[in-house]
Amino acid sequence: MRSITRPLAKQPFFLFHVLATIFAWMFVWHHASTMDIVYDEASSYYILKTGNYKALPGVANTHWLNSFFMRLMMIFNESVIALRLHVIIAFPFFAQGIYRLAALIKSTGAQIAFYCLIIFNPYILDFFSLARGYSLAITLQVWTILAFIKAVQTDFNYRQWIKLIILSALTLGANLSYQYTIMAITGGYLLYCSITDSLMSWYANIQKRRITALFVLLLFFSTADLLFIKYYGKDLEFGGKENFIGSVFNTFWDKSLYKASYTPLSFWLSWCTFALILMAGIYFIRKTIQQKKWSPGIIITFITGSIFLLGLIFHLVLNTPYIANRTALQWYVPGLLTIFLAVGEWQIPVKKYRFIGYALGTATCILVIFHFVTRYNSRRCMEYYMEDPTRQPLYDLYAQRPARPSLSFWIAGTYIGYYSQVDQLAPSGVIFEEFTNEPLTNKAIQTLNESDYILSHTITTTRFLDSAHIRYTVIKSYPDSDFKVIRLYH
């Protein structure tokens, strides 16, 4: 153990990794313990709490691995932090995987930049504070990629590929949208078999056939569940309907910039990222043709390119939405790694100026950490920004002892799915829909006319009350939120 620890302790990047992991993990813990439950978490909790397990396969909100850990924790504790414990614990494993991937990059400056752009991205860290499958999926994706690189760069090792099968199954179990990654891994395996051996020897090798069969089974079951969700549950419409660059890149960078004043830069970041991935991919393809050797660069290029290409094909053939926002997390690690592996191979010719690369990496790190510290919000997350807060408004509403309460649909999901189950807030609130730029429907108006208290979210509702000359009092409003507890006088 000492022989391993001493060399690592002398490596500045390793020490930075340890300190960065501890620092970021503290934010994750604090975030998970202070942020109210969000709709998607409450929805998963409700299905598990009521034992309606037959609904799980037909709901896109079901992330199998996340649901398993949530249900396991519910045996002991049903607090919000307890339901999120498994994703919090996943973070150090994610950070260690990113460190291992960064070690593949030849330049220290590029290593630091790649590491910080991922570890200190506030949008990514949000998901390590939520009881959802996205953080588990990206963690397992990282370790699947590491296992794939190792398997491809050595002679066929049955145990290594079985390990990869297990990691692939867990990745799909964490989030079915990562099917693109596993399809890329499967294609890479078949390409590996055809290049490293003759076709007849592949037929004669039962271990290779067994690995192939297992990959096919994984993709069959994941595809079957996705089709079931799409055509039976009719719940698979999240994503971009058009504009590949806008959906895949711009939605991700827009969320990553976290409402900062420089958020408009997301457009330029999107096109720059796409162009850099394309150039890096071309570089590695040319290098592989010349050297006839599987480098980490060409392996990562293959995975990244496959994710994008499969997304385009599925969209054009089956009208499947492009990955966007939280599902676009899937391209980020392999995409950035493709870029920085290429950057790491570029060396400044004059040795005395090579410190410039290190300085650029350090500057990138400082900027990213500054963005993280100044934008990260311990009580909110970007993907569910409009839903915050969920707990206090409901408790303030029910503290008034309403007889006929009405709830904005922006908060009703967390009430039905979680708070009414855990704390039994009663009587049950009637749900009404309200949108900022749309007038209330007749149904919503009828609901308000029959209510004594409402929990509103948009200015549309108060404008209607004013225009209808309905007297009301705002009992409580909330800083940096549109929620209002309102008493009506009919």
Side-chain angles (χ1 to χ4, degrees):
M1 179 63 71
R2 289 181 180 178
S3 62
I4 298 174
T5 306
R6 285 176 181 173
L8 287 174
K10 293 179 181 179
Q11 297 178 19
F13 184 46
F14 174 76
L15 293 175
F16 173 76
H17 158 59
V18 172
L19 294 174
T21 300
I22 294 170
F23 177 70
W25 202 21
M26 289 170 62
F27 273 85
V28 168
W29 273 101
H30 187 234
H31 196 194
S33 61
T34 56
M35 183 173 56
D36 291 343
I37 198 167
V38 302
Y39 169 74
D40 284 348
E41 292 177 298
S43 179
S44 294
Y45 171 84
Y46 182 77
I47 291 175
L48 298 170
K49 179 69 174 179
T50 57
N52 188 19
Y53 299 116
K54 65 181 181 181
L56 290 173
V59 180
N61 191 57
T62 297
H63 301 160
W64 290 99
L65 207 56
N66 176 68
S67 296
F68 168 78
F69 284 115
M70 285 182 73
R71 187 65 190 90
L72 184 65
M73 187 51 64
M74 285 166 61
I75 298 173
F76 308 100
N77 194 303
E78 297 185 3
S79 66
V80 178
I81 186 69
L83 297 177
R84 295 169 173 168
L85 192 59
H86 56 286
V87 294
I88 300 170
I89 294 172
F91 179 75
F93 296 95
F94 172 71
Q96 178 63 18
I98 295 300
Y99 170 74
R100 292 272 300 274
L101 286 176
L104 300 173
I105 302 170
K106 294 179 180 179
S107 165
T108 303
Q111 286 179 344
I112 293 171
F114 167 77
Y115 182 89
C116 289
L117 280 166
I118 294 174
I119 295 299
F120 292 109
N121 185 319
Y123 185 52
I124 288 180
L125 289 185
D126 274 348
F127 293 100
F128 285 95
S129 304
L130 292 169
R132 309 296 300 125
Y134 299 103
S135 56
L136 298 177
I138 197 172
T139 300
L140 290 160
Q141 181 198 39
V142 167
W143 287 96
T144 301
I145 290 172
L146 282 166
F148 182 61
I149 292 172
K150 182 177 179 180
V152 166
Q153 291 189 309
T154 58
D155 294 333
F156 180 81
N157 185 307
Y158 181 67
R159 294 184 67 178
Q160 182 64 34
W161 286 102
I162 286 293
K163 176 184 175 182
L164 189 56
I165 289 287
I166 294 170
L167 286 169
S168 298
L170 290 172
T171 303
L172 288 172
N175 194 297
L176 289 172
S177 68
Y178 279 68
Q179 187 185 50
Y180 291 155
T181 296
I182 306 309
M183 290 180 77
I185 298 291
T186 304
Y189 167 72
L190 295 175
L191 189 61
Y192 165 82
C193 289
S194 62
I195 290 175
T196 57
D197 217 334
S198 66
L199 188 62
M200 291 306 297
S201 64
W202 178 78
Y203 275 118
N205 191 322
I206 189 172
Q207 291 183 337
K208 289 186 177 181
R209 296 203 310 272
R210 192 175 294 158
I211 296 296
T212 305
L214 289 172
F215 271 125
V216 170
L217 279 174
L218 283 180
L219 294 176
F220 172 79
F221 284 117
S222 62
T223 302
D225 194 11
L226 287 170
L227 291 174
F228 186 73
I229 294 170
K230 181 178 178 65
Y231 293 108
Y232 179 78
K234 301 187 184 303
D235 190 28
L236 200 63
E237 297 303 321
F238 180 85
K241 304 298 182 183
E242 56 187 20
N243 191 343
F244 174 79
I245 300 294
S247 296
V248 176
F249 294 97
N250 197 52
T251 60
F252 178 83
W253 283 120
D254 186 76
K255 293 292 177 68
S256 296
L257 294 178
Y258 229 82
K259 291 185 178 291
S261 58
Y262 40 85
T263 296
L265 289 174
S266 61
F267 174 82
W268 300 105
L269 279 172
S270 301
W271 281 100
C272 287
T273 304
F274 176 71
L276 288 171
I277 291 173
L278 189 62
M279 288 189 291
I282 293 171
Y283 166 75
F284 284 121
I285 290 170
R286 290 184 60 186
K287 182 180 177 182
T288 303
I289 292 172
Q290 292 171 355
Q291 298 182 354
K292 297 180 180 180
K293 182 181 178 181
W294 285 66
S295 67
I298 192 62
I299 296 170
I300 298 300
T301 296
F302 179 83
I303 293 173
T304 306
S306 296
I307 291 171
F308 295 149
L309 187 60
L310 288 166
L312 281 167
I313 292 171
F314 275 73
H315 178 77
L316 294 173
V317 176
L318 299 175
N319 200 30
T320 302
Y322 292 123
I323 55 175
N325 298 300
R326 56 185 180 265
T327 56
L329 287 171
Q330 185 172 178
W331 72 261
Y332 191 56
V333 172
L336 280 192
L337 187 57
T338 302
I339 294 170
F340 282 99
L341 281 170
V343 170
E345 297 204 1
W346 179 71
Q347 293 287 344
I348 297 176
V350 183
K351 190 173 181 180
K352 67 177 181 179
Y353 294 123
R354 288 181 184 174
F355 73 92
I356 295 174
Y358 186 83
L360 289 173
T362 303
T364 301
C365 180
I366 292 170
L367 288 173
V368 171
I369 292 176
F370 174 80
H371 169 69
F372 165 70
V373 172
T374 55
R375 301 309 308 169
Y376 202 60
N377 191 320
S378 65
R379 298 197 63 86
R380 314 182 86 146
C381 68
M382 183 54 61
E383 194 70 13
Y384 304 92
Y385 207 83
M386 293 185 70
E387 294 183 23
D388 180 81
T390 60
R391 185 183 187 279
Q392 197 59 49
L394 285 167
Y395 279 78
D396 290 339
L397 171 68
Y398 279 92
Q400 307 301 317
R401 300 184 181 279
R404 300 178 306 279
S406 293
L407 307 174
S408 168
F409 81 104
W410 291 102
I411 201 169
T414 55
Y415 166 77
I416 295 169
Y418 185 74
Y419 295 111
S420 65
Q421 299 294 316
V422 173
D423 298 321
Q424 299 179 343
L425 299 177
S428 179
V430 179
I431 303 169
F432 70 96
E433 291 190 354
E434 51 173 352
F435 297 94
T436 301
N437 298 318
E438 298 179 19
L440 294 177
T441 63
N442 291 333
K443 184 178 179 181
I445 292 171
Q446 181 181 350
T447 298
L448 295 183
N449 286 330
E450 296 172 353
S451 304
D452 57 347
Y453 286 87
I454 62 173
L455 183 47
S456 172
H457 186 270
T458 72
I459 197 171
T460 300
T461 300
T462 51
R463 283 176 178 170
F464 163 76
L465 296 175
D466 291 332
S467 64
H469 304 293
I470 298 175
R471 292 175 53 238
Y472 66 91
T473 300
V474 176
I475 304 295
K476 190 169 183 180
S477 57
Y478 303 87
D480 200 25
S481 171
D482 294 322
F483 282 118
K484 291 180 176 63
V485 178
I486 300 174
R487 181 180 181 182
L488 304 180
Y489 302 94
H490 295 290

